[in-house]
Amino acid sequence: MFTIENQVTGKVFRTDGDSAILDDALIHGLNFPYGCQKGFCGKCKATIIEGEVGYEGGIPNGITPEEVADGMALLCQCRAKSDVALVIDELNSVADIEVRTLPCKVQSIERLNHDVTQIFLKIPNAESLQYLAGQYIDLIHPDFEPRAFSIANAPGNDGLIDLHVRLIEGGKFTNFIFNQLREKSLLQLEGPKGDFFFREDSKKPVILMAGGTGFAPIKSIVEHAIATKLDRSIYIYWGVRNEVDLYMDLPQQWANENDNIHFVPVLSQSNEDWQGRKGFVHKSILRDFEDLTGYEIYACGPPEMVKSAAKSFVEQGMIQDNFFSDAFVFAFTGKK
Ligand SMILES: Cc1cc2nc3c(=O)[nH]c(=O)nc-3n(C[C@H](O)[C@H](O)[C@H](O)COP(=O)(O)OP(=O)(O)OC[C@H]3O[C@@H](n4cnc5c(N)ncnc54)[C@H](O)[C@@H]3O)c2cc1C
Ligand code: FES
């Protein structure tokens, strides 16, 4: 095994030298830039400061022999031959990321409860979608206007996009998803979009507040935090109506397995058996954190929830610049 260090961020990961350095960087949750992953576009170019890398099958087209002689390398193609110290700017802002329109196929579709369906979309092997944990895509179908859905899995390079879709009563597109979309159905996606993404350059403890399927981007953020071994404290609050709406056990598992992760589910319409928190989810946060000055807060879900949370968090010391939110406003313009 070899150690790879990015001297720009100080982040370190291990590789067995059998896969491309980029593949292992992405598996370890590092946001290295990339495009084609085929050695053509040059987007994954890095400078090798120390150590040796090699290419199987010769120098790829996306790098010149002069650049190789100057110590540069295409990380999507090269493999480590020793410990390596390199320099590459990791993505930390949406401005660095290209918005793409890509075909995708439904790999699986599964009901998680009475009104939430999980869809895994597969993008073609020859393509890639780079995004930051927390961002969303627009789903495109010729019969409908585009509809926004948050990406629920952490950035990686398996070409899979996890979506959690709540059925909207009378909603055209979500009814189509629940009643007509099948495995192997074809769609298009456009993305990544949005400035709701996890800020990795901060050291502050993090409060993640989700309402309903607002859990989707929170899941992406936490999976990314776990993959990158983030040691900041993470407090997850998930607000839903009833226990059945907590459609995944994952947050409790994360809390059981990671000392820095804490989970509080909050039900707004609990029955008598429920022993946990009740009421509005943001009120639970206000109760637990008397002073929110030192925290970074991410909130995602219904617009009313996000709005009232933002207002009362500021009254309890939250600094506006430390608040990030995605309100699930409706895309529908009345046409289709
Ligand atoms: C950035 C962003 C990310 C999103 N991520 C997700 C996600 O991960 N999972 C998810 O389930 N949803 C998400 N949404 C909401 C999702 O886009 C809408 O629920 C969806 O567009 C509804 O489409 P529809 O065709 O079924 O409803 P429409 O036919 O467009 O609307 C039908 C009726 O339902 C109302 N309506 C529409 N959407 C909602 C809603 N969300 N809540 C309550 N009433 C609504 C409309 O006002 C209209 O009266 C996100 C929205 C945004 C803006
Ligand atoms: S990602 Fe295009 S050359 Fe590496």
Side-chain angles (χ1 to χ4, degrees), residues 136 147-150 164-166 168-175 213 216-217 326-332:
Y136 74 93
R147 300 294 200 274
F149 294 98
S150 304
H164 302 170
V165 177
R166 184 167 76 86
I168 299 296
E169 211 183 311
K172 294 185 177 62
F173 193 62
T174 54
N175 269 284
T213 43
D326 237 359
F328 282 2
V329 288
F330 320 140
F332 188 52

Side-chain angles (χ1 to χ4, degrees), residues 144 218 290 317:
F144 304 95
I218 300 298
E290 267 179 27

Side-chain angles (χ1 to χ4, degrees), residues 28-225:
H28 288 89
L30 278 74
N31 288 328
F32 279 18
Y34 66 90
C36 66
Q37 290 188 273
K38 300 266 179 301
F40 292 115
C41 72
K43 282 198 179 158
C44 62
K45 207 174 283 170
T47 305
I48 306 296
I49 305 292
E50 260 175 54
E52 201 191 331
V53 299
Y55 298 97
E56 286 179 351
I59 298 174
N61 292 343
I63 191 164
T64 63
E66 292 75 26
E67 287 175 318
V68 173
D70 283 347
M72 299 181 118
L74 290 185
L75 300 186
C76 73
Q77 299 299 308
C78 71
R79 286 155 176 74
K81 303 284 178 208
S82 69
D83 289 349
V84 170
L86 53 80
V87 167
I88 191 165
D89 286 327
E90 289 174 35
L91 301 175
N92 205 11
S93 130
V94 284
D96 301 333
I97 299 182
E98 185 190 357
V99 176
R100 311 192 63 198
T101 304
L102 293 170
C104 53
K105 190 189 267 188
V106 176
Q107 166 139 327
S108 64
I109 178 160
E110 186 191 348
R111 283 288 277 270
L112 297 181
N113 70 9
H114 63 112
D115 70 350
V116 179
T117 277
Q118 181 177 37
I119 307 173
F120 278 97
L121 297 174
K122 177 87 179 91
I123 54 178
N125 289 337
E127 302 288 355
S128 59
L129 182 76
Q130 188 148 31
Y131 59 92
L132 297 175
Q135 287 193 284
Y136 74 93
I137 53 161
D138 275 336
L139 273 189
I140 301 172
H141 184 285
D143 296 343
F144 304 95
E145 287 179 50
R147 300 294 200 274
F149 294 98
S150 304
I151 305 172
N153 51 340
N157 65 342
D158 57 6
L160 284 175
I161 304 291
D162 177 11
L163 303 178
H164 302 170
V165 177
R166 184 167 76 86
L167 180 66
I168 299 296
E169 211 183 311
K172 294 185 177 62
F173 193 62
T174 54
N175 269 284
F176 163 77
I177 287 179
F178 272 68
N179 299 320
Q180 291 179 52
L181 201 69
R182 299 277 177 269
E183 269 177 30
K184 300 201 173 95
S185 293
L186 296 175
L187 292 164
Q188 277 194 310
L189 61 82
E190 187 179 79
K193 297 191 169 184
D195 58 5
F196 184 72
F197 65 90
F198 188 52
R199 272 58 177 180
E200 290 181 54
D201 46 3
S202 161
K203 298 260 178 287
K204 295 189 174 66
V206 187
I207 298 172
L208 304 173
M209 181 179 82
T213 43
F215 174 66
I218 300 298
K219 172 174 173 285
S220 173
I221 289 173
V222 179
E223 286 183 347
H224 181 68

